[in-house]
Amino acid sequence: MALVTTKEMFKKAYDGGYAVGAFNVNNMEIVQGITEAAGELESPVILQVSKGARAYANHTYLVKMVEAAVQENPQIPIALHLDHGDTFELCKSCIDGGFTSVMIDASSKSFEDNIALTKQVVEYAHDHGVVVEAELGTLAGIEDEVQVEAGKEAYTRPEEVEEFVDRTGCDSLAIAIGTSHGAYKFTAAQCTRNADGILVPPPLRFDVLEECIKRLPGFPIVLHGSSSVPQEFVKMVNEYGGNMPDAIGIPEDQLRQAAKLAVCKINIDSDIRLAMTANIRKYFVEHPDHFDPRQYLKPARQAVKDMVAHKIVNVLGSDHKI
Ligand code: G3H
Ligand code: 13P
Ligand code: ZN
């Protein structure tokens, strides 16, 4: 199977009550870990590339690695997506350069400017057989290289979604319902504590999600900032020389619930970073004399694969959905 767009994937996901994982890729081990898991579990998957990933690894290297993954896993549909495109030129460059899907994230602009830029990207993308994700609302964390403090995020206003989708012609819409980017999604002040004193994050705004679904029946919704920041990785990082106190993510049961509704794409990047870093730190502590990168990147790649397999089966519900 060649690279596909997300059109068919999202239709099946919407009707089937599951979501497709969109995992950020920055190097070969990450591409391999994700696609080996998806391939073995017969799950559709989206590999997404940020502006930062392109700056780090180079557009051509990333596209060729993804093409290699497609060749190695011909049984599953794979889409190649631009994550958080912030200009028409960046989106155009990815459309012209082999991507099957792009995100134009003009969510920090005014409603009218967001519509104008999104529409411009949609027209070019659709002329070239590429689909477009847009965004309404602002997530806390870092988005478009703009740092939004926890507590200063803006939830999507459901009363705006129909007009936005109608006027832009976008194919999917990212909304803000309380997720955020990075490994520190909530401050202690935003959380409550359970009986064991463990921080419990505030619940996602399912009321906002449901209101958006009502206004956009059949339309695929996207959730960014959906890493769950597994505490076993945080513990490993801290045990083996790291320092990530209070790292906290989105509870997986809430993501599962969203995936059963109209959420068709769930974005995960921080959990990949954590899986790799935790295992590389452990490896270095346990093998201080080793210096061959293959030795420590192998368990890191395996950790990405195991983590992605867990998400596919237990969070996204996308296994055996090809
Ligand atoms: O949403 C942001 C993604 O995690 C990508 O992060 O811009 O550091 O590659 P990045
Ligand atoms: P996380 O930081 O929660 O992994 O979110 C990633 C993301 O939204 C990429 O666009
Ligand atoms: Zn994002």
Side-chain angles (χ1 to χ4, degrees), residues 286-302:
E286 289 177 351
H287 307 277
D289 55 327
H290 287 187
F291 64 97
D292 180 342
R294 291 172 299 187
Q295 290 174 310
Y296 57 84
L297 289 175
K298 202 170 166 185
R301 178 175 58 193
Q302 184 64 41

Side-chain angles (χ1 to χ4, degrees), residues 52-99:
R54 268 175 118 229
Y56 172 75
N58 171 299
H59 176 97
T60 309
Y61 278 89
L62 288 164
V63 171
K64 295 294 172 194
M65 283 191 292
V66 170
E67 283 172 2
V70 168
Q71 201 176 320
E72 289 294 315
N73 297 278
Q75 74 280 24
I76 56 165
I78 301 179
L80 174 54
H81 174 76
L82 168 66
D83 190 27
H84 293 285
D86 57 352
T87 60
F88 174 78
E89 290 70 28
L90 173 56
C91 293
K92 180 178 182 300
S93 162
C94 289
I95 293 164
D96 295 345
F99 284 43

